Amino acid sequence: MTSASAAGAPPTPAAPKSRKSVTGTRKTVAALFLLPALVLLGALVVYPIGYSVVRSFYNQSGDGFAGFDNYQALFTDDGIRTALKNNIIWVVFAPTVATALGLIFAVLTERVRWGTAFKLVVFMPMAISMLAAGIIFRLVYDQDPDKGVANAVWVGIHDTFAEASAFPKAHPGRESPLVAQGGAFITKATVNTGDTVTLPLVGVAPDQMPDDAKPAAAPQADPGKISGTTWQDFTRGKGVGTLGAPDASEFGYPGMKIEAVKDGKVVESTKAADDGTFTLSSKADGAQLRLPASNFKEAYNGVDWLGPSLVTPAIIGSYIWMWAGFAMVLIAAGLAGVPRELLEAARVDGASEWQVFRRVTVPLLAPVLAVVTVTLMINVLKIFDLVFIIAPGSSQDDANVLALELYRKGFSEDQPGIASAISVFLLLLVIPVMWFNIRRLRREVRR
């Protein structure tokens, strides 16, 4: 035994061991496992961001330093300013409406048996890609009512209250007794009782004649009345048929309105029968006969959903269709955690359902509503697919957003400097929103 040991000196401390995490994994091992992910993160996120920042200060060729010229273009280029304006509209309306609908769906479906099935149907669009949703809504918003669902419904509602004319293309032919008067047609001469009048028209394709049209009949004279016929004075084939007189293959204009006009006032009116014949009483003696413009009103073709004025709201509608289900599911999860005692206490105190919803449910769900709204704001700031697919070329400039303008500047117009500046600007817009969302989530975790 040495003298040091005999003197009771403390033993030499052992070398410190490598610290382990709570899961028992050494830090070096953890770092090795994280290294591939960190390399990918740097290659796919950090490097592109850094390169975009640097590239945004160079000119189109990338050889010369442009300073802040590319950033100045963000506020002077008409296309970028339109995109910025549309992005503001997107950020204000799309998240708000989607969150509001999600809240309504979550609250209303809580008390019904088929609530789960309804939530499944509403959430289902989330399973569809933006590309597929864009193609779907490009068809939904088609101008032709025979193709576009939106206009088919809109035209159906319109025609229920204001039926379109069956003869929008009808007009007088050769040697016609009718002359144009604005959008109407009127006889050149006056008519008298006992007369028979022919009002021939052309311009309606045979396959577009009304289903109730019958072969035109010649008018029969009546001593105390004025009789007439209005019909399609056209027979297929060269030199076939008699001009100005009904032929066997020609059809009358059923429902055509005829007015008797004296001194600019309508003294009598009637409608043609299925064979085009009509009769006016002696009140029409000495009057001119007029086919009013309502007979030739163009068929209502619906709303130009993808026109310059409505294209952005229409695309926002398609986005809400996709993301309202996302908002509903998150809000429903938050609603499940609301203490039912508070709701019942409010009802016992005499609060109506609307008051319970407005003063109890919504305040308790405020953190969830904020998270959903902020998440959707981040999402709409980078919206690209729906605008690119749905907006036709004629109105794509009017529907332009920053992400689409970035693509156009970078690939179509070969201006990578400005495209990089747009990408940096978008990043700067997203950072405050992300910071707010992360801060709120951390606050919720502390609770």
Side-chain angles (χ1 to χ4, degrees), residues 215-291:
Q220 302 297 319
D222 189 328
K225 298 180 180 180
I226 299 169
S227 303
T229 300
T230 177
W231 80 102
Q232 173 78 357
D233 189 20
F234 176 79
T235 302
R236 291 183 182 274
K238 187 175 180 179
V240 179
T242 304
L243 188 64
D247 293 305
S249 61
E250 297 171 350
F251 287 85
Y253 284 142
M256 179 74 75
K257 188 175 181 180
I258 300 98
E259 296 176 339
V261 182
K262 282 185 182 179
D263 301 324
K265 296 182 179 179
V266 178
V267 295
E268 190 179 5
S269 65
T270 186
K271 287 187 176 181
D274 292 348
D275 59 0
T277 58
F278 62 89
T279 303
L280 293 166
S281 68
S282 58
K283 293 180 183 179
D285 185 51
Q288 290 176 281
L289 301 188
R290 182 174 65 188
L291 304 178

Side-chain angles (χ1 to χ4, degrees), residues 49-67:
I49 291 176
Y51 182 79
S52 296
V53 172
V54 173
R55 188 65 181 82
S56 66
F57 291 102
Y58 284 82
N59 58 16
Q60 181 174 345
S61 63
D63 298 329
F65 185 73

Side-chain angles (χ1 to χ4, degrees), residues 5-300:
S5 299
T12 303
K17 294 182 178 180
S18 179
R19 295 182 62 184
K20 295 184 177 181
S21 68
V22 292
T23 59
T25 306
R26 296 178 186 275
K27 283 188 174 183
T28 53
V29 176
L32 288 174
F33 275 104
L34 287 174
L35 185 61
L38 292 174
V39 171
L40 284 175
L41 185 67
L44 300 179
V45 177
V46 178
Y47 173 75
I49 291 176
Y51 182 79
S52 296
V53 172
V54 173
R55 188 65 181 82
S56 66
F57 291 102
Y58 284 82
N59 58 16
Q60 181 174 345
S61 63
D63 298 329
F65 185 73
F68 287 94
D69 291 348
N70 293 326
Y71 289 95
Q72 184 179 358
L74 298 180
F75 304 98
T76 56
D77 185 277
D78 290 337
I80 300 176
R81 285 194 298 179
T82 300
L84 183 58
K85 180 195 72 173
N86 287 334
N87 264 101
I88 294 172
I89 295 173
W90 271 90
V91 169
V92 170
F93 290 101
T96 305
V97 176
T99 304
L101 283 177
L103 175 62
I104 293 170
F105 291 155
V107 171
L108 293 182
T109 56
E110 192 183 31
R111 298 186 179 183
V112 294
R113 292 181 181 176
W114 41 268
T116 303
F118 179 81
K119 290 176 182 177
L120 178 64
V121 172
V122 175
F123 186 75
M124 197 175 294
M126 282 293 299
I128 302 175
S129 68
M130 286 281 196
L131 175 63
I135 295 172
I136 291 170
F137 275 88
R138 182 66 182 268
L139 295 174
V140 167
Y141 291 133
D142 196 286
Q143 179 68 46
D144 187 352
D146 294 331
K147 297 179 181 178
V149 176
N151 266 340
V153 174
W154 194 262
V155 170
I157 295 172
H158 176 274
D159 289 350
T160 301
F161 300 97
E163 188 175 355
S165 169
F167 319 107
K169 303 295 184 183
H171 61 274
R174 293 180 293 115
E175 301 178 17
S176 175
L178 296 165
V179 292
Q181 186 187 62
F185 301 107
I186 192 168
T187 56
K188 300 173 184 176
T190 59
V191 295
N192 299 298
T193 54
D195 289 349
T196 57
V197 185
T198 54
L199 303 177
L201 295 169
V202 294
V204 180
D207 58 345
Q208 294 182 356
M209 289 292 288
D211 294 336
D212 53 351
K214 294 182 179 179
Q220 302 297 319
D222 189 328
K225 298 180 180 180
I226 299 169
S227 303
T229 300
T230 177
W231 80 102
Q232 173 78 357
D233 189 20
F234 176 79
T235 302
R236 291 183 182 274
K238 187 175 180 179
V240 179
T242 304
L243 188 64
D247 293 305
S249 61
E250 297 171 350
F251 287 85
Y253 284 142
M256 179 74 75
K257 188 175 181 180
I258 300 98
E259 296 176 339
V261 182
K262 282 185 182 179
D263 301 324
K265 296 182 179 179
V266 178
V267 295
E268 190 179 5
S269 65
T270 186
K271 287 187 176 181
D274 292 348
D275 59 0
T277 58
F278 62 89
T279 303
L280 293 166
S281 68
S282 58
K283 293 180 183 179
D285 185 51
Q288 290 176 281
L289 301 188
R290 182 174 65 188
L291 304 178
S294 59
N295 290 318
F296 314 105
K297 183 172 61 176
E298 289 283 347
Y300 182 66

